[in-house]
Amino acid sequence: MTSMGLRFGIIFLLQIVIGTLGDFSLLFHHACLYFSGFRSRSTDLIVRHLTVVNSLVLVSRGIPEVMAAFGVERFLKDLGCKLVFYVHRVPRGFSVTTTCFLSILQYIIISPRNSRWGELRVKAQKYIGPFNILCWVLHMLLNIRAPMLITDKWSNNNVSRGIEFLYCSVVLQDKDTDSVFAALTFSHDILCLELMSWGSGSMVFILHRHMQHVHHIHGHHVSSRPTSETRATKNILVLASAFVFSYTLSSIIHICFSVFDKTAWWLVHTSAFINACFPTASPFILMRREHSVSRHTWRK
């Protein structure tokens, strides 16, 4: 075990601990609100799903990275490698879709009731549960080929094209087939990115217009203290920015994976670190959002 490997192992371990503690804290917060009698908001179910999938992303990728960085060898067999990568890929895709849907749903909720988006408010809230189920099925199908390309590192020594991790190998065989599946995944991520950017930008515009209207009515009597809408807007921008930043860096590294036949160990470590940044930070961003949005309506 090298000193650099030890450093990466400590970093991965900190990401797992911090991220999972944040996710469980957010779930505990929702549980306390539920048992205290507060009425659940329409976005609460999405937030709960997001915390669960983020924990799965961190644990499925982080624990093998930590064990490998600390010098534990051959702890995953062929079946273990396939299972770990599949469990990682499905929740990761679900996290992207859920973050996108959360942004769009928040925009629909704050839209004026007389607008066409405001009319979709009740309908959208009814389909949150079925949408989550559909997302799970969609990402399970999109990543169905992933286990076929994964093998343990020691049983496949003659890999002409592939990505070498410390514990498993991704074998790239047919360029045309690989390109099709990569295009499907990339198209999904780009679509979610565009929709989330549109939803977040539209929501910021509505909140900004609302604050200007309030300022015009109250004039100089408006308090300089940030309103709940202002704080919510900032948290939405932070969440969207964290997603875009993490996705952009991850995409650049994946392009490097596709260009080089053999990948450097530091590039693999960097990819794992960047992929874990958003799941680690998102629960704390969402907790800031929880405190910025007041709950005055009690559950009947």
Side-chain angles (χ1 to χ4, degrees), residues 35-261:
F35 289 109
S36 297
F38 285 98
R39 186 176 65 183
S40 297
R41 295 172 299 182
S42 56
T43 56
D44 287 349
L45 181 61
I46 304 176
V47 171
R48 293 165 193 159
H49 273 81
L50 187 59
T51 56
V52 172
V53 298
N54 283 339
S55 297
L56 289 175
V57 171
L58 286 172
V59 172
S60 62
R61 182 67 183 272
I63 291 180
E65 292 287 344
V66 170
M67 296 181 68
F70 281 113
V72 182
E73 296 183 354
R74 303 194 180 190
F75 55 92
L76 284 178
K77 302 298 182 181
D78 185 67
L79 181 61
C81 286
K82 297 179 184 298
L83 180 62
V84 164
F85 271 80
Y86 188 71
V87 171
H88 172 75
R89 292 295 303 176
V90 173
R92 179 193 174 277
F94 188 89
S95 176
V96 175
T97 306
T98 304
T99 306
C100 169
F101 184 59
L102 179 62
S103 176
I104 295 176
L105 183 60
Q106 287 175 327
Y107 165 65
I108 294 176
I109 290 174
I110 68 171
S111 296
R113 293 183 179 273
N114 57 356
S115 65
R116 60 178 181 178
W117 294 108
E119 297 175 356
L120 295 175
R121 185 178 307 172
V122 178
K123 295 181 180 179
Q125 295 175 3
K126 290 182 179 179
Y127 293 106
I128 291 177
F131 177 81
N132 286 327
I133 296 175
L134 179 63
C135 284
W136 278 112
V137 175
L138 172 65
H139 290 292
M140 290 175 69
L141 294 176
L142 279 177
N143 294 279
I144 194 66
R145 191 168 179 264
M148 304 177 187
L149 304 177
I150 305 298
T151 181
D152 66 287
K153 185 177 179 180
W154 296 272
S155 65
N156 198 5
N157 297 322
N158 298 320
V159 179
S160 58
R161 292 181 62 250
I163 303 173
E164 292 286 343
F165 294 92
L166 294 177
Y167 46 90
C168 298
S169 298
V170 180
V171 183
L172 304 178
Q173 299 173 344
D174 187 357
K175 287 186 177 181
D176 294 334
T177 306
D178 293 340
S179 299
V180 170
F181 277 87
L184 289 174
T185 304
F186 186 73
S187 299
H188 161 267
D189 291 352
I190 290 297
L191 177 62
C192 288
L193 180 64
E194 292 176 349
L195 290 175
M196 187 180 65
S197 301
W198 169 79
S200 299
S202 301
M203 183 162 46
V204 169
F205 173 76
I206 290 178
L207 294 177
H208 178 69
R209 187 173 59 181
H210 172 72
M211 287 185 291
Q212 283 186 328
H213 179 68
V214 172
H215 182 78
H216 176 73
I217 293 176
H218 295 279
H220 297 289
H221 297 287
V222 177
S223 173
S224 59
R225 184 177 180 179
T227 62
S228 60
E229 290 86 356
T230 302
R231 293 192 296 268
T233 301
K234 292 180 179 179
N235 292 329
I236 293 166
L237 289 174
V238 171
L239 186 67
S241 300
F243 175 85
V244 173
F245 180 74
S246 176
Y247 178 83
T248 302
L249 291 181
S250 179
S251 299
I252 294 174
I253 292 180
H254 278 84
I255 292 175
C256 295
F257 284 159
S258 62
V259 171
F260 301 106
D261 291 336

